[in-house]
Amino acid sequence: MKRLLRRSLALLVSFASLPSLYAAEPTMSDVLRSCPKTANAIVQGDLVALRKLTLGSPIQADLPSNVTRVRIAAELNLESFHPAWEIGYAALEKMQGADYFAKREAGYIDTVNGRQVVWTPNEMYLIPLQDNVLSIVRPADRRFVGQWLKKDRSNVVSNYLQQVAARNFDSKSVLIAVDVEDVLSPQIIQERLQGVKSIAGKNLAALSTNLGDLQGVTIEVANESLQATITVDFRNPVAELAPVAKEFFGEVLAARGVQLAGYSNWQVGSANDGKSLRFTGPI
């Protein structure tokens, strides 16, 4: 989770060169539908709230003062959390021309599918759109940008991300959601559960079935305090996993080198008729 949060903040900082955002920027659902390929992750950031929450910290210094909100969709490698591609939208109070962005970013103007796009040296395209909207597309793959600009494309949107994107997250400074449906094999999971101390003596076959039902993970950070809620969603109730969830996931995170300060004080509960596990605590 630490790597994912760090990577997500890096995506938010990508918009450092943009003017202030307008209140009617595209929704997270709009971002998902705009992608020429299926995204498996989304990030939404309220940078006004984040700057207040991180005041005086190195993170706060990295957050651009002229940005209020960004929304990004990406295809993540679930091992490295490095994106194969990213698409983000920002609505501007006043749209600048392509010349302005090319000069500011030390890039150049290209034309793709009849649209002016700005190539930048940090391997991304900036594309001025209608209605005071500017988009960022990475990497700077001209063919991929061309696919994104075509209006007749067909896009398959992740059901999990679509459901998350439809929620109201006005009270959150950061939202991260990752679709992992059908990624985990119960057979492989059972092999890897051997020797995990937190579940010693438990029914490994049943636990593996629970974990194989994993649909996605959503991370939310409040906009008034550095309190996080991590929701782990499954297709079916996870009766075998729920009683050992805190100890199990704590051990898994530690094995991957992730340390959550104060994790022992985090609260864990179930929701959605036992199909979701919810972890809440400070970060």
Side-chain angles (χ1 to χ4, degrees), residues 113-133:
N113 286 338
R115 173 91 63 178
Q116 282 194 328
V117 301
V118 178
W119 177 90
T120 70
N122 54 347
E123 283 301 306
M124 68 178 178
Y125 278 111
L126 296 175
I127 304 100
L129 303 176
Q130 294 179 346
D131 301 320
N132 290 340
V133 173

Side-chain angles (χ1 to χ4, degrees), residues 37-104:
K37 299 180 181 180
T38 301
N40 66 354
I42 55 175
V43 178
Q44 177 173 304
D46 180 339
L47 272 71
V48 173
L50 270 177
R51 284 192 292 270
K52 292 179 180 178
L53 291 176
T54 60
L55 188 63
S57 74
I59 292 177
Q60 190 271 339
D62 285 339
L63 295 173
S65 60
N66 56 348
V67 178
T68 61
R69 196 190 326 269
V70 296
R71 293 185 171 98
I72 301 162
E75 181 185 351
L76 282 183
N77 178 309
L78 297 177
E79 285 292 327
S80 66
F81 290 116
H82 183 80
W85 55 264
E86 307 155 29
I87 288 176
Y89 281 86
L92 314 181
E93 286 185 346
K94 182 179 180 181
M95 174 58 70
Q96 301 285 352
D99 289 339
Y100 168 85
F101 292 108
K103 182 178 179 180
R104 181 161 182 167

Side-chain angles (χ1 to χ4, degrees), residues 68-269:
T68 61
R69 196 190 326 269
V70 296
R71 293 185 171 98
I72 301 162
E75 181 185 351
L76 282 183
N77 178 309
L78 297 177
E79 285 292 327
S80 66
F81 290 116
H82 183 80
W85 55 264
E86 307 155 29
I87 288 176
Y89 281 86
L92 314 181
E93 286 185 346
K94 182 179 180 181
M95 174 58 70
Q96 301 285 352
D99 289 339
Y100 168 85
F101 292 108
K103 182 178 179 180
R104 181 161 182 167
E105 297 298 319
Y108 62 80
I109 298 173
D110 195 357
T111 301
V112 181
N113 286 338
R115 173 91 63 178
Q116 282 194 328
V117 301
V118 178
W119 177 90
T120 70
N122 54 347
E123 283 301 306
M124 68 178 178
Y125 278 111
L126 296 175
I127 304 100
L129 303 176
Q130 294 179 346
D131 301 320
N132 290 340
V133 173
L134 187 73
S135 183
I136 176 175
V137 178
R138 291 201 296 194
D141 181 329
R142 200 171 186 277
R143 182 181 178 87
F144 181 61
V145 171
Q147 290 175 326
W148 177 74
L149 288 170
K150 290 178 181 177
K151 296 181 179 180
D152 60 350
R153 63 184 176 271
S154 176
N155 176 30
V156 177
V157 178
S158 155
N159 288 331
Y160 180 76
L161 295 183
Q162 197 167 27
Q163 291 170 11
V164 173
R167 302 176 197 165
N168 186 337
F169 288 99
D170 289 343
S171 63
K172 308 301 178 183
S173 61
V174 175
L175 160 70
I176 305 167
V178 182
D179 181 342
V180 294
E181 188 166 15
D182 298 326
V183 170
L184 302 175
S185 163
Q187 289 77 15
I188 294 176
I189 293 172
Q190 188 166 349
E191 293 176 7
R192 295 182 177 179
L193 291 181
Q194 304 291 334
V196 178
K197 296 179 180 179
S198 58
I199 55 174
K202 303 297 182 181
N203 186 336
L204 297 188
L207 284 168
S208 301
T209 298
N210 283 177
L211 290 167
D213 277 339
L214 184 61
Q215 285 188 303
V217 179
T218 300
I219 303 172
E220 307 162 49
V221 180
N223 63 6
E224 296 182 352
S225 64
L226 283 173
Q227 286 284 122
T229 299
I230 304 172
T231 304
V232 186
D233 295 302
F234 302 84
R235 282 189 294 263
N236 298 298
V238 286
E240 194 74 24
L241 179 61
V244 296
K246 183 174 182 178
E247 295 77 10
F248 172 74
F249 283 107
E251 187 174 354
V252 170
L253 289 173
R256 296 183 65 89
V258 178
Q259 299 294 330
L260 286 178
Y263 181 70
S264 60
N265 297 321
W266 278 49
Q267 302 298 313
V268 181

